[in-house]
Amino acid sequence: MSNKKERQLNCEVLRIVAMLMIVCLHYFGKGGLLGKPSDPELTAAGYTIWFLEALCLSAVNLYVLISGYFGGGTYSLQRPFRIWKQVFFYSVIIGIAAGIIGGQKPDIYRIFTYIFPIVTEHYWFATSYIILCLLMPFFDAGFAYFDKRQIKSIILVMLLLFSISKTVLPMQLPWDKYGYDAFWFMVLYLTGGYLRRYGVKQIKSRAKAALLYLGSVAMIFASFLVLRMVFLKTGKLEDLINYSYTYNYLFCYTAAVGGFIFFVNTWQDSPVLKRLRKPIELLSGATFGVYLIHEHIELRSQWPKWFHCEEQRTQSVGGLLVHMIFTVLTVYIICTAIEIIRFNIARLIFHRR
């Protein structure tokens, strides 16, 4: 793998793909398409939805792995502050717009959610990521201080605590937050840093990386099928049917590692990507804005209703796929356009992002 610190276009493409996958996850989850995994009348479209959910599940992990891979540069407190400003902007502006359009006066809790989006976890990803940003210099210093064997041991111990244990033990562990926390982001950041510095000898080729990703996705989905069958036959383990569909599940982690290595080893010197550098960097730079807009507390449950997402559970597999692609792309394009406009206005006013 390359040890260059500058951004690589193939990883910028991965950032775009990861955000598209995140919108897909919200299409299924916030759109009500997942339903109850124990539903005995699950249709072909229902099984397809759960498979696609497994296919996209590693998206958040991929997004954080990119940060770890390109970490280790000169650290500045401007990074978490810049993220906070962007989060605060969308949290407040969309909140005000929703109040004006909806004609309803928000309660005090809603107002606090708008004004203090980080501490209220308005956006759980942003909260966990800012905490990670504050700790990045310590992790980067650790990479400079510890050798390869020590770094690997630290990652393995953290995986044992936050991933492997919850994967093999059929119970809710006290510290398990399903990967919605800064502790899990630390594991991913360290993994990304390890991959940049040392790589994985056993997974050097794109074929092996793709196999790791697809095999991990298959294991997530297979776990769902097996536990669902057990429940339908015995009436037990209902709460564990979709237990594998969490960000810190071991196979979600390995899927992210496989997908990440595949992209890192793909199109490294592609002349096509070089010609498309400006639009790729523009779209990649807007990905966080896409998340902040469509996942705002006033929008996250509304846009799936506007597109009638839940109704797709009863459609054919083909109809579901067409509707999913149309909806996800529409949401992504609209949010990207809004973020690009915000970026350009901010640059004109403040002469910076």
Side-chain angles (χ1 to χ4, degrees), residues 84-102 106 110-111 113-117 122-123 292-293 296-299 338-339 341-342 345:
W84 174 84
K85 286 193 298 182
Q86 189 177 359
V87 172
F88 180 80
F89 173 83
Y90 279 119
S91 180
V92 172
I93 294 299
I94 296 177
I96 292 173
I100 294 173
I101 296 172
R110 212 69 158 186
I111 293 173
T113 303
Y114 300 154
I115 300 175
F116 306 105
H122 181 166
Y123 302 98
L292 295 176
I293 296 167
H296 190 281
I297 193 171
E298 297 294 351
L299 294 177
I338 294 172
E339 169 60 9
I341 293 171
R342 180 205 69 84
I345 292 175

Side-chain angles (χ1 to χ4, degrees), residues 3 5 28 35 81 96 102 115 123 157 173-174 176 231 235 254 259 263 291 316 318 323-324 333 337 353:
N3 288 322
K5 291 185 179 180
F28 297 132
F81 182 61
I96 292 173
I115 300 175
Y123 302 98
V157 170
L173 300 176
D176 182 19
F231 167 75
T254 55
F263 268 86
Y291 166 74
S316 65
H323 185 273
M324 180 195 75
I333 291 170
R353 186 166 184 168

Side-chain angles (χ1 to χ4, degrees), residues 215-227:
S216 298
V217 169
M219 290 299 294
I220 293 171
F221 187 57
S223 172
F224 166 80
L225 294 177
V226 170
L227 289 172

